[in-house]
Short mmCIF file of all heavy atoms in Angstrom, two decimals:
data_model
loop_
_atom_site.label_atom_id
_atom_site.label_comp_id
_atom_site.label_asym_id
_atom_site.label_seq_id
_atom_site.Cartn_x
_atom_site.Cartn_y
_atom_site.Cartn_z
N ASP N 2 -21.65 0.64 14.29
CA ASP N 2 -22.54 1.23 13.29
C ASP N 2 -22.20 0.67 11.90
O ASP N 2 -21.58 1.34 11.08
CB ASP N 2 -22.40 2.75 13.29
CG ASP N 2 -23.49 3.45 12.48
OD1 ASP N 2 -24.26 2.75 11.79
OD2 ASP N 2 -23.57 4.68 12.54
N PRO N 3 -22.61 -0.57 11.62
CA PRO N 3 -22.30 -1.16 10.31
C PRO N 3 -22.99 -0.43 9.16
O PRO N 3 -22.50 -0.45 8.04
CB PRO N 3 -22.79 -2.60 10.44
CG PRO N 3 -23.81 -2.57 11.53
CD PRO N 3 -23.34 -1.52 12.49
N ASP N 4 -24.13 0.21 9.42
CA ASP N 4 -24.80 0.98 8.38
C ASP N 4 -23.90 2.11 7.88
O ASP N 4 -23.81 2.36 6.67
CB ASP N 4 -26.11 1.57 8.91
CG ASP N 4 -27.33 0.76 8.47
OD1 ASP N 4 -27.48 0.55 7.25
OD2 ASP N 4 -28.09 0.32 9.34
N ALA N 5 -23.23 2.79 8.82
CA ALA N 5 -22.34 3.88 8.42
C ALA N 5 -21.19 3.36 7.59
O ALA N 5 -20.78 4.00 6.60
CB ALA N 5 -21.81 4.61 9.66
N ALA N 6 -20.65 2.20 7.96
CA ALA N 6 -19.55 1.62 7.19
C ALA N 6 -20.01 1.22 5.79
O ALA N 6 -19.31 1.49 4.80
CB ALA N 6 -18.97 0.41 7.92
N LEU N 7 -21.17 0.61 5.68
CA LEU N 7 -21.67 0.21 4.36
C LEU N 7 -21.96 1.45 3.50
O LEU N 7 -21.74 1.42 2.28
CB LEU N 7 -22.92 -0.64 4.51
CG LEU N 7 -22.67 -2.11 4.81
CD1 LEU N 7 -23.94 -2.80 5.27
CD2 LEU N 7 -22.11 -2.83 3.57
N ALA N 8 -22.44 2.50 4.13
CA ALA N 8 -22.65 3.74 3.38
C ALA N 8 -21.33 4.26 2.82
O ALA N 8 -21.28 4.77 1.69
CB ALA N 8 -23.31 4.78 4.28
N GLU N 9 -20.25 4.12 3.59
CA GLU N 9 -18.93 4.54 3.11
C GLU N 9 -18.44 3.65 1.98
O GLU N 9 -17.88 4.13 0.99
CB GLU N 9 -17.92 4.53 4.26
CG GLU N 9 -17.97 5.75 5.14
CD GLU N 9 -17.49 6.99 4.38
OE1 GLU N 9 -18.34 7.64 3.72
OE2 GLU N 9 -16.30 7.31 4.43
N LEU N 10 -18.64 2.34 2.12
CA LEU N 10 -18.25 1.43 1.04
C LEU N 10 -18.98 1.79 -0.24
O LEU N 10 -18.40 1.79 -1.34
CB LEU N 10 -18.54 -0.02 1.42
CG LEU N 10 -17.93 -0.59 2.70
CD1 LEU N 10 -18.20 -2.08 2.79
CD2 LEU N 10 -16.44 -0.32 2.79
N ALA N 11 -20.27 2.09 -0.10
CA ALA N 11 -21.06 2.47 -1.27
C ALA N 11 -20.60 3.82 -1.83
O ALA N 11 -20.61 4.01 -3.05
CB ALA N 11 -22.54 2.55 -0.88
N ARG N 12 -20.19 4.71 -0.96
CA ARG N 12 -19.76 6.05 -1.42
C ARG N 12 -18.47 5.98 -2.23
O ARG N 12 -18.35 6.61 -3.29
CB ARG N 12 -19.56 6.97 -0.21
CG ARG N 12 -19.07 8.37 -0.60
CD ARG N 12 -18.77 9.22 0.63
NE ARG N 12 -17.61 8.73 1.39
CZ ARG N 12 -16.34 8.96 1.07
NH1 ARG N 12 -16.03 9.66 -0.02
NH2 ARG N 12 -15.36 8.50 1.83
N VAL N 13 -17.48 5.23 -1.72
CA VAL N 13 -16.17 5.24 -2.38
C VAL N 13 -16.12 4.29 -3.57
O VAL N 13 -15.26 4.44 -4.44
CB VAL N 13 -15.04 4.89 -1.38
CG1 VAL N 13 -15.07 5.84 -0.20
CG2 VAL N 13 -15.10 3.43 -0.92
N GLY N 14 -17.03 3.32 -3.63
CA GLY N 14 -16.99 2.33 -4.71
C GLY N 14 -17.61 2.85 -5.99
O GLY N 14 -18.56 3.63 -5.98
N ARG N 15 -17.07 2.38 -7.11
CA ARG N 15 -17.67 2.69 -8.42
C ARG N 15 -17.92 1.41 -9.20
O ARG N 15 -18.28 1.46 -10.38
CB ARG N 15 -16.77 3.62 -9.22
CG ARG N 15 -15.43 3.04 -9.61
CD ARG N 15 -14.59 4.05 -10.35
NE ARG N 15 -13.24 3.56 -10.62
CZ ARG N 15 -12.19 4.34 -10.77
NH1 ARG N 15 -12.32 5.66 -10.68
NH2 ARG N 15 -11.00 3.83 -11.01
N GLY N 16 -17.70 0.29 -8.55
CA GLY N 16 -17.89 -1.00 -9.21
C GLY N 16 -18.41 -2.03 -8.24
O GLY N 16 -19.52 -1.92 -7.72
N TRP N 17 -17.59 -3.02 -7.94
CA TRP N 17 -18.01 -4.15 -7.11
C TRP N 17 -17.63 -3.95 -5.65
O TRP N 17 -16.60 -3.35 -5.34
CB TRP N 17 -17.37 -5.43 -7.63
CG TRP N 17 -17.84 -5.82 -9.00
CD1 TRP N 17 -17.19 -5.59 -10.18
CD2 TRP N 17 -19.07 -6.46 -9.33
NE1 TRP N 17 -17.93 -6.06 -11.23
CE2 TRP N 17 -19.09 -6.60 -10.74
CE3 TRP N 17 -20.14 -6.93 -8.58
CZ2 TRP N 17 -20.16 -7.21 -11.41
CZ3 TRP N 17 -21.21 -7.53 -9.24
CH2 TRP N 17 -21.21 -7.67 -10.64
N VAL N 18 -18.48 -4.48 -4.78
CA VAL N 18 -18.24 -4.49 -3.34
C VAL N 18 -18.49 -5.91 -2.84
O VAL N 18 -19.55 -6.48 -3.11
CB VAL N 18 -19.15 -3.50 -2.60
CG1 VAL N 18 -18.89 -3.54 -1.10
CG2 VAL N 18 -18.97 -2.08 -3.13
N VAL N 19 -17.50 -6.48 -2.13
CA VAL N 19 -17.61 -7.84 -1.61
C VAL N 19 -17.48 -7.77 -0.09
O VAL N 19 -16.49 -7.23 0.43
CB VAL N 19 -16.53 -8.77 -2.20
CG1 VAL N 19 -16.64 -10.17 -1.63
CG2 VAL N 19 -16.64 -8.80 -3.73
N VAL N 20 -18.48 -8.31 0.61
CA VAL N 20 -18.49 -8.24 2.07
C VAL N 20 -18.84 -9.62 2.63
O VAL N 20 -19.57 -10.39 2.01
CB VAL N 20 -19.49 -7.19 2.58
CG1 VAL N 20 -19.02 -5.79 2.26
CG2 VAL N 20 -20.88 -7.42 2.00
N SER N 21 -18.31 -9.91 3.81
CA SER N 21 -18.65 -11.17 4.47
C SER N 21 -18.76 -10.96 5.96
O SER N 21 -18.12 -10.07 6.53
CB SER N 21 -17.61 -12.25 4.17
OG SER N 21 -16.42 -12.02 4.90
N VAL N 22 -19.59 -11.80 6.60
CA VAL N 22 -19.75 -11.80 8.05
C VAL N 22 -20.00 -13.24 8.50
O VAL N 22 -20.40 -14.10 7.70
CB VAL N 22 -20.94 -10.92 8.50
CG1 VAL N 22 -20.69 -9.46 8.19
CG2 VAL N 22 -22.25 -11.41 7.89
N PRO N 23 -19.79 -13.54 9.78
CA PRO N 23 -20.15 -14.85 10.30
C PRO N 23 -21.67 -15.07 10.19
O PRO N 23 -22.46 -14.14 10.38
CB PRO N 23 -19.72 -14.79 11.77
CG PRO N 23 -18.68 -13.73 11.82
CD PRO N 23 -19.11 -12.71 10.80
N LEU N 24 -22.06 -16.29 9.88
CA LEU N 24 -23.47 -16.66 9.80
C LEU N 24 -23.95 -17.04 11.20
O LEU N 24 -23.45 -18.00 11.79
CB LEU N 24 -23.66 -17.82 8.83
CG LEU N 24 -25.07 -18.41 8.74
CD1 LEU N 24 -26.06 -17.36 8.24
CD2 LEU N 24 -25.08 -19.63 7.82
N GLU N 25 -24.91 -16.29 11.71
CA GLU N 25 -25.46 -16.57 13.03
C GLU N 25 -26.85 -17.20 12.93
O GLU N 25 -27.57 -16.94 11.97
CB GLU N 25 -25.53 -15.28 13.85
CG GLU N 25 -24.17 -14.64 14.12
CD GLU N 25 -23.32 -15.41 15.13
OE1 GLU N 25 -23.73 -16.52 15.55
OE2 GLU N 25 -22.25 -14.90 15.50
N PRO N 26 -27.20 -18.06 13.90
CA PRO N 26 -26.44 -18.40 15.11
C PRO N 26 -25.43 -19.54 14.93
O PRO N 26 -24.83 -19.99 15.89
CB PRO N 26 -27.53 -18.83 16.08
CG PRO N 26 -28.55 -19.48 15.19
CD PRO N 26 -28.55 -18.66 13.92
N LEU N 27 -25.23 -19.97 13.67
CA LEU N 27 -24.35 -21.12 13.44
C LEU N 27 -22.94 -20.87 13.94
O LEU N 27 -22.28 -21.77 14.48
CB LEU N 27 -24.34 -21.46 11.95
CG LEU N 27 -23.56 -22.72 11.55
CD1 LEU N 27 -24.13 -23.95 12.23
CD2 LEU N 27 -23.58 -22.90 10.03
N TRP N 28 -22.46 -19.63 13.80
CA TRP N 28 -21.09 -19.32 14.23
C TRP N 28 -20.92 -19.58 15.72
O TRP N 28 -19.97 -20.22 16.14
CB TRP N 28 -20.79 -17.86 13.89
CG TRP N 28 -19.40 -17.42 14.26
CD1 TRP N 28 -18.99 -16.90 15.46
CD2 TRP N 28 -18.24 -17.48 13.43
NE1 TRP N 28 -17.65 -16.61 15.43
CE2 TRP N 28 -17.16 -16.97 14.18
CE3 TRP N 28 -18.01 -17.90 12.12
CZ2 TRP N 28 -15.88 -16.86 13.67
CZ3 TRP N 28 -16.73 -17.79 11.61
CH2 TRP N 28 -15.68 -17.29 12.38
N ARG N 29 -21.87 -19.08 16.51
CA ARG N 29 -21.75 -19.25 17.96
C ARG N 29 -21.93 -20.71 18.36
O ARG N 29 -21.27 -21.20 19.28
CB ARG N 29 -22.76 -18.36 18.67
CG ARG N 29 -22.31 -16.90 18.75
CD ARG N 29 -23.39 -16.01 19.32
NE ARG N 29 -24.50 -15.88 18.39
CZ ARG N 29 -25.60 -15.18 18.66
NH1 ARG N 29 -25.73 -14.55 19.82
NH2 ARG N 29 -26.57 -15.08 17.76
N VAL N 30 -22.82 -21.41 17.66
CA VAL N 30 -23.00 -22.85 17.94
C VAL N 30 -21.69 -23.59 17.70
O VAL N 30 -21.28 -24.44 18.50
CB VAL N 30 -24.13 -23.44 17.07
CG1 VAL N 30 -24.15 -24.95 17.18
CG2 VAL N 30 -25.48 -22.86 17.49
N GLY N 31 -21.01 -23.25 16.61
CA GLY N 31 -19.73 -23.89 16.31
C GLY N 31 -18.70 -23.63 17.40
O GLY N 31 -17.93 -24.52 17.77
N ASN N 32 -18.68 -22.41 17.92
CA ASN N 32 -17.75 -22.10 19.00
C ASN N 32 -18.06 -22.92 20.25
O ASN N 32 -17.16 -23.42 20.93
CB ASN N 32 -17.81 -20.61 19.34
CG ASN N 32 -16.97 -19.76 18.39
OD1 ASN N 32 -16.04 -20.25 17.76
ND2 ASN N 32 -17.30 -18.48 18.30
N VAL N 33 -19.34 -23.05 20.57
CA VAL N 33 -19.73 -23.84 21.76
C VAL N 33 -19.32 -25.29 21.58
O VAL N 33 -18.78 -25.92 22.50
CB VAL N 33 -21.24 -23.71 22.01
CG1 VAL N 33 -21.69 -24.72 23.07
CG2 VAL N 33 -21.59 -22.30 22.45
#
C-alpha cells in the first residue's frame, strides 16, 4: 500500500520529501 506510506510521509513532514523508485519497465529490462 504505497498510498498509505506516502500519506504518512506527507503527514509527518513539514518541509521537503524526497522519494525514489526503480523506473519501469527499464529496471526489469536491465535485469534481463
Side-chain angles (χ1 to χ4, degrees):
D2 192 351
D4 260 305
L7 278 166
E9 279 292 88
L10 303 187
R12 178 185 68 80
V13 304
R15 65 182 174 206
W17 295 99
V18 179
V19 179
V20 291
S21 74
V22 295
L24 174 62
E25 297 288 6
L27 185 60
W28 181 271
R29 282 174 291 178
V30 170
N32 279 337
V33 169

